[in-house]
Amino acid sequence: MQPVMLPANMPRSFYRGAGRINRFRGTAVPTDPYYPEDWIGSATARHGAEPDGLTTLPDGSLLATAIADEPERWLGPEHVARHGADPAILVKLLDAGERLPLHVHPDRRFARSHLASPYGKTEAWVIVDAAPDAVVHLGFQRDVDASELARWVTGQQIADMLAATNRIPVRPGDAIVCPAGLPHAIGRDILLVEIQEPTDFSVLLEWDGYDIDSAAGHLGLGFDQALRCVDRETWDERRIGDLRRARRHAQGIRPGIDRLFPEVADAFFAAERIRPAPAAALDPAFSIVVVVTGAGVLDTEHGDTIDVRRGQTILIPYAAGHCTLRGDLMAIRCRPPYDLPGAGTL
C-alpha cells in the first residue's frame, strides 16, 4: 500500500469560510462561501447526512469500505485489536470566515448513553493561519447554573453567553485541546487543522444568524436532555493553560519530530509537528500528514517516493511501512492514540 495524496473533501456547511483552504491548497476559491471544512481521510459521515463527509479514494471506492475490507493493512494489527476496523480519529482543515456559533460536543459517557456511540467529540486545534486579533472562546469564566444556561439558549441571549466565556488569543503554531463538554467557538479569520474523535455530534448553544434551524442543534434529544452534556463549571486561567501548554518531554520521539498536545489528549488522538533536519523517520501507523510550509519528498520502505508541498494532505496506511519525510518543510502528522512512555492510559 502506498500513501494516498488526497484532494479536498468539502461538504457544505451552515457557516461561511473565506477561501483559506483553497488558497492553502493552491486551488480556485469557490464563489459559494459555505464550504469551510475539508474532511481529510474521513471514514466518518456528517451526522444525519451520510455519505457527506466520507472520503472517496482515487479508485472511486469509499475509504471506509476499503478499511473494512482490509483493516489490518490500513490500520495495523494492534490498532485493530483495540479499535476494530475504525480509524478512531477524524481530521479536518477548518476555515473560519466568520465566528462559529457557541456550541458543545458530548463526551463518551453521554454518547454511549444517548447516542449509541462509543465516541464523544473531544477535539484539538493546530493553528495554521490567524489574523493578529484572532481569538477562540473556550469554557465559562464562572459557574453557570443550568437554568441560566437554558434561559440563554432558549432566548438566544448570545451577548450574555459570549461574555461568560474565556476569550483566548491565538496565533499560527498554537496547539489547543478542547475537551468534550466544554463550550467553545472558533473566532473569525482562522485556518486550523482539527483532530478529533470520529463523530459529528454538536449541541448548539447559538444559532441565530446562521443558516441552520435550532432543531438541528440538540441531536434529536431535545434541549432539556442535550444541555446536560455541557460543562458549566469555571475554567480559570490555570485550567485553560493546561489545555494549551507545551507537552512535557515533547521532544525526543525521533529526530525532527515533536509531540503536540498535553497529556489530556492522549486517550483520544495524537499529533506530531515534523521539521525534517534534514530527514524525519515516521513509524508505521495509519496517519494523516498535512504539509503546512515548504516542500520535500515522502519515501516509503517499499521504494515509493512522493513529492509533497505546502497545502497537500497525505493519507499513510499502516502497510506503507516505515516512511521518511525529507525537505525544507513543516508538517502536522495526525494519528490515533498511541502508547509512549508517559503517554497516559487509554
Side-chain angles (χ1 to χ4, degrees):
M1 276 191 180
Q2 296 181 342
V4 181
M5 195 72 67
L6 295 171
N9 172 33
M10 301 174 70
R12 201 174 196 278
S13 190
F14 65 89
Y15 69 93
R16 292 173 294 183
R20 291 182 185 84
I21 292 174
N22 302 86
R23 288 191 288 273
F24 177 65
R25 283 186 168 276
T27 58
V29 176
T31 56
D32 185 342
Y34 287 94
Y35 292 90
E37 298 180 359
D38 183 353
W39 293 38
I40 308 169
S42 170
T44 302
R46 294 292 296 264
H47 180 66
E50 190 172 350
D52 287 358
L54 295 174
T55 288
T56 300
L57 296 171
D59 65 3
S61 66
L62 290 176
L63 173 62
T65 301
I67 291 174
D69 289 343
E70 297 183 285
E72 291 199 358
R73 296 194 71 202
W74 281 98
L75 304 173
E78 292 183 3
H79 179 107
V80 171
R82 179 176 296 160
H83 302 288
D86 186 335
I89 58 166
L90 175 60
V91 179
K92 300 176 185 174
L93 288 171
L94 190 152
D95 168 24
E98 61 182 327
R99 179 183 61 77
L100 273 64
L102 195 67
H103 63 288
V104 172
H105 306 301
D107 64 15
R108 289 179 176 178
R109 185 182 341 184
F110 188 95
R112 283 193 297 268
S113 298
H114 301 288
L115 300 167
S117 171
Y119 300 108
K121 193 184 171 187
T122 287
E123 63 186 46
W125 313 316
V126 182
I127 308 300
V128 174
D129 191 20
D133 59 349
V135 300
V136 297
H137 297 260
L138 196 58
F140 289 130
Q141 297 177 15
R142 59 174 176 82
D143 288 356
V144 173
D145 186 78
S147 61
E148 183 177 25
L149 177 62
R151 185 170 65 253
W152 285 346
V153 173
T154 302
Q156 285 298 275
Q157 297 173 17
I158 296 163
D160 291 339
M161 278 194 288
L162 287 177
T165 64
N166 295 289
R167 287 172 52 91
I168 312 298
V170 294
R171 60 183 182 178
D174 285 352
I176 307 170
V177 178
C178 179
L182 202 60
H184 62 283
I186 296 167
R188 61 177 299 171
D189 295 331
I190 297 173
L191 175 67
L192 58 84
V193 177
E194 180 176 275
I195 179 171
Q196 57 165 88
E197 293 183 83
T199 73
D200 188 38
F201 299 144
S202 294
V203 174
L204 296 182
L205 307 184
E206 173 188 3
W207 56 84
D208 250 10
Y210 295 91
D211 186 22
I212 192 168
D213 189 272
S214 62
H218 54 62
L219 297 171
L221 302 174
F223 278 110
D224 284 350
Q225 185 72 266
L227 291 180
R228 295 180 184 179
C229 78
V230 179
D231 183 343
R232 296 180 286 102
E233 294 184 354
T234 301
W235 279 76
D236 59 19
E237 185 175 343
R238 178 192 61 79
R239 295 186 77 189
I240 294 292
D242 286 344
L243 299 178
R244 59 184 312 190
R245 62 174 167 77
R247 188 179 182 87
R248 301 186 190 105
H249 313 300
Q251 299 188 12
I253 299 175
R254 291 172 299 282
I257 299 178
D258 296 336
R259 182 113 180 250
L260 295 174
F261 309 139
E263 288 79 0
V264 68
D266 288 347
F268 306 102
F269 40 70
E272 301 159 351
R273 181 177 281 120
I274 304 173
R275 297 185 180 95
L282 311 184
D283 59 309
F286 177 90
S287 54
I288 305 291
V289 174
V290 180
V291 183
V292 178
T293 63
V297 296
L298 178 68
D299 298 324
T300 75
E301 68 176 49
H302 307 302
D304 304 309
T305 296
I306 301 171
D307 293 328
V308 299
R309 59 168 175 76
R310 179 182 186 268
Q312 289 182 325
T313 54
I314 305 103
L315 170 59
I316 303 181
Y318 173 86
H322 292 273
C323 296
T324 304
L325 194 58
R326 309 177 190 275
D328 183 12
L329 58 83
M330 190 271 282
I332 305 299
R333 187 189 192 195
C334 307
R335 52 191 292 171
Y338 62 167
D339 291 319
L340 282 179
T345 302
L346 297 181

